[in-house]
Amino acid sequence: MACFLVPAAEAAVVTIIRKIAEDNQQKKYSALKVHPEEVLKSEESVLHKTRWLTNLLWGGSALLAFEHVWHGEVTPWFPFLTAMREPDSTSAMLHEMATNGIGMAALVTLVWTGMLAVNHIRNKKNIQEAQ
Amino acid sequence: MTLLIVSIAAVICTFIWYTKGNACRISTLCWMFWGASLMWLVDAFAEYAELHEEYFTPAPADMLNDAFLGCSAVAFGLIIWLADLLIHDPKGVFRKKKSLKEDAEHV
């Protein structure tokens, strides 16, 4: 019905937070007039990896939005979601968002956490091998 | 069926990205298809919880409709990727054309 809105909302929040963090980082280092490589590198890597999460969330939400348009659940006119027309279908939609939608956002975030863990282990291994 | 088609597309794109690299921004497709596959997987679990073993024996008409939807979703993803590719122009095709045109005008 509208489950894709939950991961899309998560994607929007993470994107906004990343933009703010990137701006702050830029201000911080332009004020210092130095480029502390190591600090920047660790911060950048965290920021860079949030891109993985937003890419997964935005990409998945786009295809799911397409599926909802296909099924006639999303319309280009007000109220945009056909489930919003009747109170019964609205409550079913909210239930689906609370179950499937949150499940989707949680699974994608969980997979991203797994990717971070694997990446961290691989980096550690590479450093050990280099030493 | 939709989940199956999009998952296969995600595997193929990831294989292309691994073997050929990201020169054509194929990672855009990988993120999109993997994101959608994970989300449809949750939908599949929810449907399985509701239908149990019936989930694995869909009606042929439903299967055909889902397959059609899956192929259309892949096509939609490809269109988004193509737009992204043309906007970013990683190989500089448009820039080269523009500079060639400008050179021809000067001559």
Side-chain angles (χ1 to χ4, degrees), chain B residues 16-62:
Chain B
I16 295 170
W17 168 80
Y18 185 74
T19 52
K20 307 263 178 189
N22 197 28
C24 287
R25 297 179 68 85
I26 202 89
S27 63
T28 309
L29 274 179
C30 295
W31 291 120
M32 204 160 25
F33 289 150
W34 280 121
S37 298
L38 289 171
M39 291 179 192
W40 270 317
L41 184 69
V42 174
D43 254 352
F45 277 130
E47 217 173 318
Y48 178 76
E50 205 176 298
L51 301 172
H52 300 289
E53 57 271 16
E54 263 181 62
Y55 174 76
F56 297 107
T57 51
D62 290 342

Side-chain angles (χ1 to χ4, degrees), chain B residues 68-107:
Chain B
F68 191 25
L69 170 62
C71 293
S72 304
V74 170
F76 181 65
L78 288 170
I79 291 167
I80 294 175
W81 166 71
L82 192 64
D84 177 68
L85 185 73
L86 295 178
I87 290 166
H88 287 96
D89 190 20
K91 295 204 170 182
V93 175
F94 294 126
R95 266 171 285 159
K96 273 180 208 162
K97 270 192 179 174
K98 200 182 168 190
S99 65
L100 278 175
K101 202 177 171 185
E102 279 171 359
D103 286 347
E105 277 171 8
H106 283 296
V107 173

